Amino acid sequence: MQTKLLRPSEDATALETAGALLRAGEVVGIPTETVYGLAANALDPDAVARIFAAKGRPQDNPLIVHIAALDDVDGIAAEFPPQAQALAQAFWPGPLTIILPKQDRIPMVTSGGLNTVGIRFPSHPMAQAIIRAAGVPLAAPSANTSGRPSTTTAQHVMEDLDGKIAAVVDGGPCTVGVESTVVSLCGARPRLLRPGGISLEQLQSVLGIVEVDRALREKIDDTEKVSAPGMKYRHYAPNAPVTVVVGPAQASADYIYAQLGENSGVLCFDECAQQFSGKAVVETFGPAEDKEEQAREVFDALRRFDDTDCTEIFAQCPSASGIGLAVANRIKKAAGFHVVDLTEGEA
Ligand code: TXA
Ligand code: MG
């Protein structure tokens, strides 16, 4: 299959073309504010099956359903409780996915066999225009080969999926850079299943108490049942194994420096790059104190290691406040939760 690269900046019909392909049951890479999505008609089991095939994604991993108007929730969720309405009011359109009980109209292949469905109303104007042009809600996981770092440019999507999908819409680089926050409202208490573009503190400001899923902090065995099936797989990973070093920037840089071997790579804060120059393959992902920039850069930086010949990677990691929780989670997952914590034992 020839994958078309559609450029709305040069081609006034690009978004209509994407909508028509989606209506015809094809899979299209689309920009969102978080990461690129691999979209198909969420109501069409055959179209959704093509997403799983293109990504090589395990069948039990549910897809998020994307909408372009608040009213669209009515055709997807079996109920829209007050807490969900409050979250929608505060954070939609934007990088938040809300898990609710699903209607029968949403096929089981879309929900990974669950009776619930994740719903997101993205803020990216092109994402909204494509959903409207398609005229149906769009199921869309991140547009990467399963297991690889998510994609934040149309070029990344082509690297992973050229020849496997009908088209990619180029909307430039994503402004958030990590995926949406996933919160479940299907249990007794709201539960954070994946940290993302909306911080835990922001969720708490609307919901009060929010439980935090264990899978965010530690490795989950492949055979265990987890609330967000996506969280159990090794993920976001470059080819070389990754070790994360948690702690203050200079302390973690010094620790990493002492570990460097012949073919080491280092994912580090901008300020620390100098220290590793000439000693390792160095990829930076923003200043130590700028977590928003780190979120925008982290996947691109992880991907760049695959163009190098490093055989092991050491990574610095931000603290867990704000969007730092999401950045740290992605780096730890890339490392399969292989973490050295220099703060352990400190008061
Ligand atoms: O920002 C994003 O959310 C991007 C863009 C394209 O919107 N999408 C994305 O989708 O990251 P994906 O499939 O790569 O990640 C969705 C995560 C997975 O961990 C999945 O297991 C979880 O959300 N999820 C989806 N539906 C769920 C459900 N009904 N119950 C529990 N977890 C669910
Ligand atoms: Mg993903």
Side-chain angles (χ1 to χ4, degrees):
M1 181 184 307
Q2 175 98 35
T3 302
K4 286 194 195 100
L5 189 56
L6 301 171
R7 292 204 173 88
S9 58
E10 295 163 12
D11 170 6
T13 64
L15 299 176
E16 267 312 314
T17 305
L21 287 168
L22 289 160
R23 267 200 309 283
E26 297 288 349
V27 175
V28 177
I30 67 167
T32 84
E33 70 278 20
T34 56
V35 298
Y36 273 71
L38 195 57
N41 178 354
L43 307 177
D44 176 350
D46 295 333
V48 170
R50 287 190 192 106
I51 297 179
F52 283 90
K55 256 189 90 106
R57 180 172 173 113
Q59 298 287 335
D60 69 345
N61 196 356
L63 306 181
I64 294 169
V65 176
H66 296 70
I67 58 175
L70 201 54
D71 287 349
D72 295 347
V73 173
D74 296 341
I76 298 169
E79 51 190 83
F80 194 25
Q83 283 185 322
Q85 292 180 31
L87 286 176
Q89 172 79 31
F91 305 121
W92 277 359
L96 177 69
T97 296
I98 307 174
I99 311 287
L100 293 169
K102 81 170 186 71
Q103 290 183 15
D104 291 343
R105 183 170 173 249
I106 302 299
M108 278 293 177
V109 56
T110 303
S111 68
L114 301 173
N115 292 318
T116 59
V117 61
I119 307 178
R120 178 161 114 76
F121 181 172
S123 64
H124 198 298
M126 280 185 203
Q128 293 181 6
I130 294 165
I131 298 166
R132 279 195 298 269
V136 288
L138 297 180
S142 50
N144 51 284
T145 298
S146 202
R148 289 209 74 202
S150 300
T151 52
T152 53
T153 65
Q155 286 66 41
H156 291 160
V157 182
M158 288 301 259
E159 268 168 37
D160 279 20
L161 296 161
D162 190 11
K164 297 183 175 168
I165 57 177
V168 179
V169 177
D170 188 349
C174 300
T175 53
V176 177
V178 289
E179 300 89 339
S180 64
T181 299
V182 179
V183 63
S184 172
L185 296 179
C186 296
R189 289 223 177 117
R191 194 176 181 81
L192 176 65
L193 303 186
R194 179 178 73 181
I198 298 294
S199 69
L200 177 59
E201 295 87 338
Q202 283 174 295
L203 290 182
Q204 287 163 335
S205 73
V206 172
L207 297 171
I209 295 175
V210 178
E211 289 179 350
V212 175
D213 207 83
R214 190 167 66 84
L216 267 61
R217 307 203 188 280
E218 52 192 279
K219 189 169 164 42
I220 301 295
D221 198 271
D222 280 358
T223 56
E224 265 182 81
K225 191 154 176 55
V226 293
S227 344
M231 297 306 281
K232 78 183 170 193
Y233 299 105
R234 182 168 184 250
H235 226 124
Y236 313 120
N239 296 327
V242 181
T243 302
V244 189
V245 184
V246 175
Q250 193 54 55
S252 59
D254 290 344
Y255 178 92
I256 290 169
Y257 191 84
Q259 311 299 312
L260 293 180
E262 280 287 294
N263 291 307
S264 302
V266 182
L267 174 67
C268 69
F269 302 129
D270 292 356
E271 303 87 318
C272 301
Q274 176 70 35
Q275 183 171 353
F276 301 112
S277 164
K279 307 272 186 220
V281 172
V282 182
E283 299 291 353
T284 58
F285 69 124
E289 294 310 319
D290 189 347
K291 294 174 183 177
E292 267 75 24
E293 177 69 3
Q294 292 163 25
R296 277 189 293 275
E297 292 296 322
V298 65
F299 286 134
D300 186 50
L302 285 170
R303 281 181 168 264
R304 285 196 302 265
F305 283 109
D306 286 346
D307 300 328
T308 75
D309 56 6
C310 69
T311 53
E312 58 175 354
I313 298 167
F314 295 95
Q316 292 189 290
C317 180
S319 64
S321 63
I323 201 167
L325 184 64
V327 176
N329 169 266
R330 303 310 187 268
I331 297 173
K332 287 176 185 173
K333 283 192 61 91
F337 287 93
H338 184 224
V339 179
V340 175
D341 191 345
L342 302 177
T343 65
E344 249 167 33
E346 281 181 17

